[in-house]
C-alpha cells in the first residue's frame, strides 16, 4: 500500500518539513489533514531557505500534487501570501498542483484576535499559542457555526455565516477590550481571497481517493506532534486538533483500509515551544548549547524553543498511539561535542515509576526523569551519508533509541540541507 503518514513524535518542530521534502521527490501527492498555519516548515534547498506554514512541504517538487484536506483550518490571507511567494520563486506555476478541500474551515480575523486576547488575559497561565486563531476556529467548527472554504466562495452565504460568528464572538471580544472588525470589512477583504483561491478549491477527498485507486504514492504530512494532540497530548497545553496518525481518516477523507505505514519524526534531543510540562527540559548550559547549535527558534513565531534531553517515554508513547512503523531521527549533528548524553527511560513521581506519559498535569509536572547515560562523540556529522560511517557512540545512541521506543530508525538527518541525510530503509517499504 503506497501511503505513508508522517507525524511528529514529540512536541513539534522535529524537522518534519525536511523529511517530507526528502520523500516528496518520490511521491505523487503530499496531503495535510489537520492544523493550520500554526505549523511552519523551513526548507533549505541549495542554501536558499523557504518557509511554508500551510502548503505541504512537497510543493518544491513540481510533479507532486499538494492537498490541504478538510481537517485543515485555513487563514486565506496567509495562504494567498504563501502562494504568491512561491510563485515569485518559480514554484507552484500550475494551479492544479494545489488542491484545497472545500470543507476546510476558514480562519477569520476575529479568531486571531480572540486567540491573542485570551492569551494576554491569561498572563502567566497562558498556553503560549501561536496566536494564529487556530483554537477559536476549531471551536467554531465544533459549535457548528464555522465558515468553510466553499462558504467563502459564495458571497451571500459567507455574509450570513460571518454574521453568525460575529454575533457570538463580538461580545466576547469586547469583554476582552477588543473591537471586532465590521462585517463589511471582513466581507470585502475575504472577497479578494475568494477570487484568488477559487481555482484551487475542490472536493479534495475525491482527488485523494483517485490517487489511492490508481496506486499512486501518497504522503500524509502531519502538523504539530503527538504530545500536542488534543486528546493524547499534555492537555491543556496542546493544540486544538488531533495530531495522531489515525486522524488522516477524518481530516483527508481516507478510509482506514487505505492507510499504510507511519513514519514518526523525532529530534535527537527534545524541544518544546509554549508552556506546559516538559520533564527532560534543561535550563543549563547544555540546554543553551542545544538552542544555539540547533538554531532552536520557532519557524512560525520566532520564539526561542525550550530544549532538553531525548525523552524515550514520550517517543514510545507516540509510537504506540500512531503505530509507528519507522522513526526518523533529526539533528543528530547538533549533539556533537556533548558528553555524556542522557536519555530519559522512565519517570519517577514521588517514588512511583512511570513507563508512560501520565495524564495528570501535576504528576507530569512533578515527575523526575530516570536517565540513562551514553557516551557522546565530537566529530562533525554533517558529511556522513552512511550509517556505518557514523562514530560508534552515535550508532549506539541510535540503536538505544530503537530499543527504547521499539521502532526501527529509517532515516537520520545530520544537517539542514536536503542531502545531509542518512537513509537506512525506504519507509514506504517497511
Ligand atoms: P496553537 O496551535 O496555536 O493553539 O498553540 C497551542 C500549543 O501548540 C502551543 O504550545 C504552541 O506553541 C504549540 N504549537 C502549535 N503548532 C506548533 C508547531 O507547529 N510546532 C510546535 N509547537 C506548536
Amino acid at each position: 500500500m503506497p501511503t505513508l503518514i508522517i507525524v511528529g513524535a514529540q512536541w513539534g518542530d522535529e524537522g518534519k518539513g525536511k523529511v517530507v521534502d526528502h520523500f516528496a521527490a518520490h511521491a505523487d501527492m503530499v496531503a495535510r489533514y489537520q492544523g493550520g498555519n500554526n505549523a511552519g516548515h523551513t526548507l533549505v534547498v541549495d542554501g536558499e531557505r523557504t518557509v511554508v506554514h500551510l502548503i505541504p512541504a512537497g510543493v518544491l517538487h513540481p510533479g507532486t500534487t499538494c492537498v490541504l484536506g478538510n481537517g485543515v483550518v485555513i487563514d486565506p490571507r496567509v495562504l494567498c501570501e504563501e502562494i504568491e511567494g512561491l510563485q515569485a520563486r518559480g514554484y507552484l506555476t500550475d494551479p492544479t498542483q494545489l488542491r484545497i478541500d472545500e470543507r476546510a474551515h476558514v480562519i477569520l480575523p476575529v479568531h486571531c484576535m480572540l486567540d491573542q486576547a485570551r492569551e494576554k488575559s491569561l498572563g502567566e497561565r497562558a498556553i503560549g499559542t501561536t496566536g494564529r486563531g487556530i483554537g477559536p476556529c476549531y471551536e467554531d467548527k465544533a459549535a457548528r457555526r464555522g465558515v468553510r472554504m466553499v462558504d467563502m466562495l459564495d458571497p451571500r452565504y459567507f455574509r450570513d455565516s460571518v454574521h453568525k460568528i460575529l454575533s457570538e464572538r463580538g461580545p466576547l471580544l469586547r469583554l476582552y477590550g477588543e473591537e471586532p472588525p465590521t462585517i463589511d470589512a471582513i466581507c470585502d477583504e475575504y472577497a479578494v481571497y475568494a477570487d484568488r483561491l477559487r481555482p484551487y478549491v475542490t472536493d479534495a477527498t475525491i482527488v485523494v481517493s483517485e490517487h489511492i485507486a490508481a496506486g499512486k504514492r501518497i504522503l500524509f504530512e502531519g502538523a504539530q506532534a503527538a504530545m500536542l494532540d488534543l486528546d493524547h497530548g499534555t492537555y491543556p497545553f496542546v493544540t486544538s486538533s488531533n495530531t495522531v496518525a489515525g486522524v488522516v481518516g477524518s481530516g483527508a477523507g481516507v478510509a482506514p483500509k487505505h492507510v499504510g505505514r507511519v513514519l514518526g519524526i523525532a529530534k535527537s534531543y527534545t524541544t518544546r515551544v509554549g508552556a506546559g510540562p516538559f520533564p527532560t527540559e534543561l535550563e543549563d548550559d547544555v540546554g543553551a548549547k542545544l538552542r544555539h547549535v540547533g538554531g532552536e527558534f520557532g519557524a512560525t513565531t520566532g520564539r526561542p524553543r525550550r530544549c532538553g534531553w531525548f525523552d524515550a517515554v514520550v517517543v514510545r508513547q507516540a509510537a504506540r498511539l500512531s503505530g509507528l512503523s519507522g522513526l526518523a531521527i533529526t539533528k543528530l549533528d547538533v549533539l556533537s561535542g556533548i558528553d555524556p548524553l542522557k536519555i530519559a527511560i522512565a519517570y519517577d513521581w514521588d517514588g512511583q515509576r512511570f513507563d508512560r506519559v501520565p495524564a495528570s498535569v501535576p504528576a507530569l509536572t512533578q515527575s523526575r526523569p530516570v536517565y540513562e547515560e551514553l557516551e557522546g562523540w565530537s566529530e562533525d556529522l554533517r558529511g556522513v551519508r552512511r550509517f556505518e560511517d557514523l562514530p560508534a557512540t552515535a550508532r549506539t545512541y541510535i540503536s538505544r533509541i530503537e530499543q527504547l521506543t521499539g521502532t526501527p530508525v529509517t532515516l537520520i538527518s545530520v544537517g539542514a540541507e536536503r542531502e545531509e541525510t542518512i537513509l537506512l530503509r525506504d519507509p514506504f517499504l517497511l
Side-chain angles (χ1 to χ4, degrees):
M1 196 184 297
T3 58
L4 177 67
I5 305 173
I6 294 195
V7 288
Q10 295 162 321
W11 275 282
D13 306 316
E14 295 92 350
K16 292 182 288 290
K18 179 181 164 177
V19 178
V20 172
D21 180 59
H22 185 88
F23 293 115
H26 313 286
D28 300 294
M29 170 179 277
V30 184
R32 276 193 62 181
Y33 52 92
Q34 48 76 224
N37 60 311
N38 45 350
H41 290 322
T42 308
L43 307 168
V44 185
V45 182
D46 297 332
E48 193 182 4
R49 286 160 57 92
T50 304
V51 182
V52 285
H53 296 285
L54 266 169
I55 298 179
V59 70
L60 303 190
H61 300 277
T64 305
T65 304
C66 290
V67 170
L68 290 175
N70 57 278
V72 177
V73 287
I74 296 175
D75 186 328
R77 182 184 55 79
V78 174
L79 183 54
C80 286
E81 278 172 18
E82 223 162 82
I83 291 172
E84 281 157 24
L86 285 163
Q87 287 174 340
R89 297 164 84 168
Y91 298 111
L92 198 58
T93 47
D94 172 7
T96 64
Q97 199 199 341
L98 176 63
R99 306 282 80 194
I100 304 170
D101 197 281
E102 54 194 3
R103 293 180 176 84
H105 278 246
V106 174
I107 295 177
L108 298 175
V110 284
H111 293 138
C112 301
M113 290 174 74
L114 204 50
D115 193 0
Q116 290 161 23
R118 269 187 196 152
E119 284 283 286
K120 206 166 120 197
S121 81
L122 282 168
E124 294 224 314
R125 291 178 298 117
I127 288 169
T129 71
T130 59
R132 303 294 195 262
I134 309 295
C137 182
Y138 276 122
E139 286 165 25
D140 278 343
K141 174 178 179 177
R144 293 160 294 182
R145 57 170 175 258
V147 183
R148 302 165 305 163
M149 290 302 289
V150 69
D151 306 329
M152 189 180 78
L153 301 187
D154 178 338
R156 190 173 299 176
Y157 193 84
F158 180 67
R159 200 178 177 85
D160 282 351
S161 308
V162 173
H163 175 71
K164 236 188 272 174
I165 289 186
L166 278 179
S167 337
E168 289 270 351
R169 302 309 220 172
L172 189 57
L173 264 176
R174 288 192 192 93
L175 273 181
Y176 285 115
E178 301 284 341
E179 189 53 34
T182 63
I183 191 162
D184 284 340
I186 297 177
C187 290
D188 289 351
E189 183 185 349
Y190 278 60
V192 178
Y193 304 142
D195 276 348
R196 289 201 201 142
L197 297 176
R198 195 178 300 276
Y200 304 97
V201 179
T202 186
D203 185 335
T205 61
I206 294 178
V207 187
V208 174
S209 306
E210 284 171 354
H211 272 66
I212 289 173
K216 302 262 173 117
R217 280 188 158 206
I218 307 180
L219 266 185
F220 292 102
E221 175 185 331
Q224 291 83 46
M227 288 300 117
L228 291 173
D229 183 282
L230 183 56
D231 285 81
H232 301 287
T234 48
Y235 190 90
F237 300 97
V238 293
T239 191
S240 296
S241 65
N242 287 110
T243 59
V244 293
V247 178
V248 158
S250 58
V254 179
K257 67 178 178 180
H258 295 307
V259 177
R261 295 150 192 91
V262 187
L263 179 67
I265 319 292
K267 263 180 206 167
S268 60
Y269 47 100
T270 312
T271 63
R272 162 161 218 179
V273 273
F278 181 178
T280 64
E281 182 168 18
L282 290 168
E283 287 171 292
D284 59 6
D285 290 353
V286 179
K289 180 168 179 182
L290 290 171
R291 187 174 308 109
H292 175 70
V293 179
E296 296 298 351
F297 298 89
T300 299
T301 56
R303 290 181 287 179
R305 296 177 183 143
R306 300 157 66 194
C307 298
W309 295 119
F310 187 88
D311 188 339
V313 185
V314 159
V315 179
R316 194 159 55 222
Q317 184 121 331
R320 175 167 58 79
L321 292 168
S322 285
L324 299 186
S325 34
L327 201 54
I329 298 295
T330 58
K331 293 194 159 183
L332 190 65
D333 54 305
V334 174
L335 295 185
S336 291
I338 302 178
D339 196 9
L341 295 164
K342 290 186 187 179
I343 294 181
I345 56 169
Y347 300 147
D348 179 287
W349 183 45
D350 219 8
Q352 198 184 340
R353 187 180 162 110
F354 277 91
D355 293 311
R356 59 179 176 86
V357 181
S360 145
V361 175
L364 190 52
T365 312
Q366 294 154 21
S367 278
R368 293 159 63 97
V370 178
Y371 283 120
E372 184 173 295
E373 272 190 18
L374 286 96
E375 204 180 318
W377 58 89
S378 54
E379 293 90 332
D380 181 352
L381 305 186
R382 279 174 301 172
V384 180
R385 296 292 173 268
R386 296 185 321 166
F387 186 72
E388 310 82 88
D389 297 336
L390 284 172
T393 45
R395 293 200 304 266
T396 304
Y397 188 77
I398 295 291
S399 303
R400 194 66 189 123
I401 289 177
E402 289 189 321
Q403 287 162 359
L404 289 167
T405 61
T407 313
V409 171
T410 62
L411 180 147
I412 301 167
S413 166
V414 288
E417 289 278 349
R418 209 181 243 173
E419 58 280 3
E420 289 173 330
T421 302
I422 303 170
L423 183 63
L424 290 91
R425 304 169 186 91
D426 182 343
F428 272 107
L429 302 177
L430 274 175

